[in-house]
Amino acid sequence: MNMITHNFHLAPSSVSLSDEQRVLLEQVSASPGAFSSVRRRAQALLMLDQGLPVGQITAQSSMDRRTIHSLITRHRTGGVKTALLGQRSSLERRQWLALSPMSH
């Protein structure tokens, strides 16, 4: 087993969200104007916050285990915005999320 795969198996598979972050993610996950990938990430973060196992999240979403573990890592290192948009997000996506009153 290589080191990258091994680390994915060791990574804790939950996130802790503040009430404000949860509201933002609920808004994003229900927004018809949100990019579909951002909506899926918001939904996955909410499920992780609820304590659902990664396997159950993969069954309920179009995300694989590696993607979910990457989402967890981005959340831990860069917060909700980085988890939703990625580290190199487009200006359009950053501006879209900045319009949310809860994003600050």
Side-chain angles (χ1 to χ4, degrees):
M1 184 182 306
N2 69 32
M3 189 63 159
I4 294 172
T5 303
H6 184 67
N7 285 338
F8 277 129
H9 291 296
L10 293 178
S13 57
S14 66
V15 297
S16 291
L17 301 172
S18 68
D19 290 340
E20 190 173 80
Q21 290 172 328
R22 203 170 293 110
V23 169
L24 171 65
L25 292 172
E26 287 169 355
Q27 289 174 345
V28 169
S29 69
S31 172
F35 300 95
S36 62
S37 61
V38 174
R39 263 197 326 271
R40 282 193 311 270
R41 291 174 191 155
Q43 292 164 350
L45 285 169
L46 288 167
M47 288 187 269
L48 288 163
D49 183 56
Q50 294 170 358
L52 294 176
V54 172
Q56 188 173 346
I57 297 169
T58 61
Q60 293 180 6
S61 71
S62 60
M63 301 171 110
D64 61 23
R65 286 183 172 277
R66 183 169 288 203
T67 302
I68 293 171
H69 284 288
S70 177
L71 182 65
I72 293 166
T73 300
R74 286 197 317 264
H75 177 264
R76 290 195 177 136
T77 60
V80 170
K81 287 181 186 180
T82 301
L84 287 178
L85 303 179
Q87 293 178 339
R88 291 175 271 142
S89 62
S90 70
L91 178 60
E92 179 184 16
R93 288 183 186 210
R94 288 192 312 268
Q95 288 175 336
W96 175 83
L97 187 60
L99 294 175
S100 168
M102 300 297 293
S103 66
H104 301 287

